[in-house]
Amino acid sequence: MQRLLTTLAITLITTCASSQTADKVRTGWQFGGALPAIAFNADEGFKYGALCNIYDYGDGSFSPDYTKSVYLEMSRTTKGSGINHFIYDDKKLIGSNIRFFVDINYLTEKLLNFYGFNGYQAYYNSDFESNDNELYISRAFYRNERKMLQVMTNLRNKIGSSPVYWYAGYIFTNQKIAAPDTKKLNKGKYANDTLPTATCQTNLFLKYVDAGIISQNEKDGGQTHQFQAGVIYDTRNVEAFPTKGMWNELYLIGAPSFSKGTSSYVSLLTTVRQYFATQNQRLVFTYRASAYTLLGGKMPFYMLPFHYDATCMYNALGANKNMRGMLRNKVVGCGYAIANIETRYKFLVTQIKGQDLYLAASAFADAGQITQCYKKREIKLAGFESDREKLHTTAGIGLHIGFNNNFIVAIDYGRALDKRDGTDGLYINIGWLW
């Protein structure tokens, strides 16, 4: 499992903080912070790269909130995986009150998690990927390969003087799916540590293709155009660390078919978030509840493992953005519900040479479940059905380092509360989850 260099990250943030020029009310463009992207995985190799954030505070009238933000991330692994990520967020598009957001992300993943569909209904046995176990099949048994270009853009604006915003967005994805390239992954390894060639016997993805659950039209991936329209209700007092208010979303997602052999579908996403704080604003209790429902049509299998909000398209459900401590993409289906609760406490608030810095601890619990199954009948007939689906749960703790309110390093450690969902996970990200 990947382990990022936490100490190095914290040191870098502190160094950045101490080198800034004091400025009580922030104006204009300012460097937010940077982190190295360093990790090691036995199969994907050494990961190297960096990410950074810069902000435009305008004339300072919105400080500590920014008016524009640019996020850049680039990393590679020695086995061919990589991240190329660009985000631009403009809260005052061309001097107006319209907020413009664009997220461009190109991912190459040599060992993307694939556990089947419908949560606990898909059989999972960790012994199949443990090479010191007699039931071992392959460390890549629950993996496939994906190259994905994702372009997400949207506009939103207030309706009158109310806290309600109209929202319109578009997401383009182009995915190329395949079984793991074990020949490339085996380069430089000793014979007793190599991966077997991916076949129907050694790889779950190919088993699903062979059984016809993943169709021939979809097995190699494809392009999808998703159009979004809805409303956002936002009464947060500040975006970076809200202490009161609500942030709720309701919108339709429509994906028309533009080419032969592809299908169209319509879905509905609802999300509720709320924040409560003590009088000194140090202790915050917050929750998030979200539901994704397929209203009609047919979703291709490669569009199932995603969770949405107005600013991101996350992997779902499992891992760092929703079910911390669970295996990535462990819970996949046509519809799902998820809930998170979190307590946040700023135990240190200070300044370093005029720059704001805080440390905050958190404790959280995450839960989610499939509400609409994907091809349940076909999976049962193929003999892949295991247990009945029920609630998946995780819990954990976190540490957050906030620099000038907006650049926030998040370190979360979560544990799955059922061994069928994995064991644990350590994550380093930017920002609070919500």
Side-chain angles (χ1 to χ4, degrees), residues 11-283:
T11 302
L12 180 61
I13 293 298
T14 306
T15 301
C16 290
S18 62
S19 65
Q20 297 288 324
T21 303
D23 188 4
K24 187 174 181 181
V25 177
R26 310 189 195 290
T27 60
W29 286 96
Q30 292 196 21
F31 178 70
L35 280 175
I38 302 173
F40 179 78
N41 180 287
D43 293 312
E44 294 195 352
F46 182 72
K47 179 180 180 180
Y48 55 94
L51 59 86
C52 70
N53 231 149
I54 57 174
Y55 303 95
D56 180 12
Y57 294 93
D59 61 6
S61 59
F62 293 96
S63 183
D65 275 341
Y66 59 84
T67 58
K68 298 180 181 67
S69 168
V70 176
Y71 172 88
L72 296 168
E73 179 179 358
M74 182 173 289
S75 64
R76 296 286 184 276
T77 72
T78 52
K79 293 291 186 178
S81 295
I83 298 173
N84 306 272
H85 202 180
F86 167 82
I87 299 175
Y88 176 70
D89 185 11
D90 188 342
K91 298 181 180 180
K92 296 287 182 181
L93 179 63
I94 318 177
S96 71
N97 289 321
I98 295 176
R99 185 169 184 171
F100 171 70
F101 179 87
V102 62
D103 181 331
I104 302 172
N105 198 4
Y106 179 66
L107 298 170
T108 56
E109 298 172 278
K110 295 297 183 182
L111 289 170
L112 177 68
N113 303 60
F114 177 82
Y115 300 100
F117 307 103
N118 308 329
Y120 288 137
Q121 291 183 356
Y123 181 71
Y124 171 69
N125 189 335
S126 61
D127 293 338
F128 292 169
E129 50 186 351
S130 299
N131 54 8
D132 58 351
N133 191 286
E134 61 180 10
L135 297 178
Y136 173 71
I137 298 174
S138 170
R139 291 191 308 277
F141 182 75
Y142 292 109
R143 300 289 189 272
N144 60 11
E145 181 178 300
R146 181 179 70 181
K147 295 179 181 178
M148 181 176 73
L149 172 64
Q150 169 199 315
V151 180
M152 176 181 183
T153 184
N154 56 63
L155 298 169
R156 71 193 99 155
N157 194 14
K158 269 192 174 184
I159 300 176
S161 59
S162 72
V164 179
Y165 298 71
W166 58 260
Y167 172 89
Y170 167 73
I171 302 176
F172 169 78
T173 57
N174 183 19
Q175 301 186 58
K176 295 182 179 180
I177 312 290
D181 184 354
T182 54
K183 184 177 180 181
K184 185 169 185 178
L185 293 168
N186 285 334
K187 285 185 177 179
K189 290 190 174 183
Y190 294 108
N192 61 355
D193 200 33
T194 57
L195 297 166
T197 302
T199 66
C200 295
Q201 286 71 44
T202 62
N203 183 260
L204 185 65
F205 170 72
L206 292 180
K207 282 181 178 288
Y208 273 73
V209 173
D210 185 61
I213 298 169
I214 296 175
S215 69
Q216 292 296 317
N217 289 337
E218 296 180 3
K219 68 179 180 65
D220 298 323
Q223 294 184 0
T224 306
H225 303 265
Q226 296 185 102
F227 297 89
Q228 303 169 308
V231 292
I232 298 173
Y233 177 79
D234 192 350
T235 60
R236 290 173 293 173
N237 57 334
V238 66
E239 288 190 15
F241 187 83
T243 57
K244 64 179 181 179
M246 300 187 75
W247 173 25
N248 305 333
E249 298 173 337
L250 171 67
Y251 50 85
L252 289 167
I253 302 173
S257 173
F258 287 119
S259 60
K260 186 177 180 180
T262 61
S263 55
S264 59
Y265 60 90
V266 177
S267 55
L268 176 69
L269 179 70
T270 57
T271 303
V272 176
R273 311 170 186 86
Q274 192 169 10
Y275 308 85
F276 308 90
T278 55
Q279 189 173 1
N280 64 6
Q281 309 289 293
R282 289 285 192 96
L283 180 63

Side-chain angles (χ1 to χ4, degrees), residues 288-291 307 317 321-323 336-340 366-369:
R288 175 179 67 175
S290 185
H307 172 61
L317 296 175
K321 296 298 184 180
N322 41 67
M323 298 286 294
Y336 58 82
I338 182 174
N340 315 90
D366 305 328
Q369 183 173 338

